[in-house]
């Protein structure tokens, strides 16, 4: 990992005051932090809630388990019969099969969903090189698709990709910075080929060095997709209701106001009819006259 990532990790995660991380998030000082994605994961509780920040090994274990869980979900739901058909029964693994168990049946069923997600991703932040890349768009498509398969009642709504975008961008760029740091690859190869010696060196180098080396697992570039999914899933647990689609609104008779149908519309109504009159009564009156 880079030197600045090590320094910020020690300051925010290994310091004496564990409230420092929360304060840094609230006052906006994480904006340029090179481990901001790791901070998000802790604050949004995709890492174990209530675990002291210094217990890095517990955070690492949770990260590895969550990544494995996501990869299992991805393998189950992101099936492409065009590439997996050779290992399947030919009577099922062909586009003309009418069998409900055919992988093609599910593929065609959700083709419209995939296309809708792709269209939004192609329009995401035009001019931003990161989001225009095919690999990034494919990764974000998988994340959104898996989440929608697990939440069929809500499925995909336009704007969900906008919530995912900063999460994945931060996690990916931070992991890339860690991987590109001088010595990162050689240390990783050394630990992979001589794990016993590496473990001994961790013990001999002191607790802080061991924690810093475990941080590399948290910033592994190969885990950015799974980590982004976990963050997005947690965020949607709080934001999902904003994407709900209510019944078609029928204009009420004059002087009668029907209740808003969705949480988002209820929030908008609260702003217009409760908060706005307090700060700008003439504007509120004007808006009512235009209805």
């Amino acid at each position: 990992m880079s030197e600045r990532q090590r320094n910020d990790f020690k300051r925010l995660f290994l310091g004496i005051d564990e409230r420092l991380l929360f304060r840094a998030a609230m006052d906006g000082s994480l904006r340029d932090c090179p481990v901001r994605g790791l901070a998000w994961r802790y604050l949004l509780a995709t890492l174990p809630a209530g675990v002291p920040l210094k217990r890095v090994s517990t955070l690492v274990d949770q990260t590895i388990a969550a990544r494995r869980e996501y990869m299992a979900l991805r393998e189950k739901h992101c099936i492409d019969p065009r590439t997996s058909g050779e290992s399947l029964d030919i009577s099922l693994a062909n586009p003309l099969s009418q069998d409900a168990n055919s992988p093609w049946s599910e593929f065609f069923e959700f083709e419209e969903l995939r296309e809708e997600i792709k269209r939004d991703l192609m329009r995401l932040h035009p001019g931003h090189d990161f989001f225009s890349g095919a690999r990034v768009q494919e990764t974000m498509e998988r994340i959104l698709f898996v989440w929608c398969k697990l939440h069929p009642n809500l499925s995909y709504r336009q704007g969900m990709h906008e919530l995912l975008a900063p999460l994945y961008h931060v996690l990916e760029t931070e992991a890339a910075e860690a991987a590109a740091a001088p010595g990162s690859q050689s240390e990783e190869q050394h630990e992979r080929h001589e794990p016993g010696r590496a473990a001994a060196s961790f013990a001999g180098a002191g607790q802080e060095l061991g924690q810093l080396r475990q941080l590399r697992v948290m910033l592994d570039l190969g885990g950015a997709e799974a980590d982004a999914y976990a963050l997005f899933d947690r965020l949607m647990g709080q934001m999902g209701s904003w994407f709900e689609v209510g019944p078609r609104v029928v204009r009420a008779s004059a002087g009668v106001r029907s209740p808003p149908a969705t949480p988002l519309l209820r929030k908008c109504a609260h702003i217009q009819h409760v908060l706005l009159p307090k700060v700008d009564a003439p504007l509120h009156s004007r808006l009512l006259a235009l209805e």
Side-chain angles (χ1 to χ4, degrees), residues 76-77 79 102-110 114 149:
K76 176 181 179 180
H77 295 291
I79 300 174
S102 169
W104 282 97
S105 176
E106 181 175 354
F107 182 79
F108 289 137
E109 179 183 356
F110 292 98
R114 281 189 292 267
K149 288 292 295 292

Side-chain angles (χ1 to χ4, degrees), residues 41 50 264 289:
R41 288 154 64 188
L264 178 58

Side-chain angles (χ1 to χ4, degrees), residues 45-67:
T46 64
L47 298 175
V51 174
L53 293 175
K54 293 182 181 180
R55 289 178 55 185
V56 181
S57 60
T58 302
L59 304 183
V60 169
D61 291 342
Q62 176 70 14
T63 296
I64 293 174
R67 288 172 179 172

Side-chain angles (χ1 to χ4, degrees), residues 260-277:
T262 68
L264 178 58
L265 291 178
R266 287 194 290 271
K267 177 65 72 173
C268 292
H270 178 76
I271 293 172
Q272 180 178 354
H273 301 296
V274 177
L275 301 181
L276 183 58

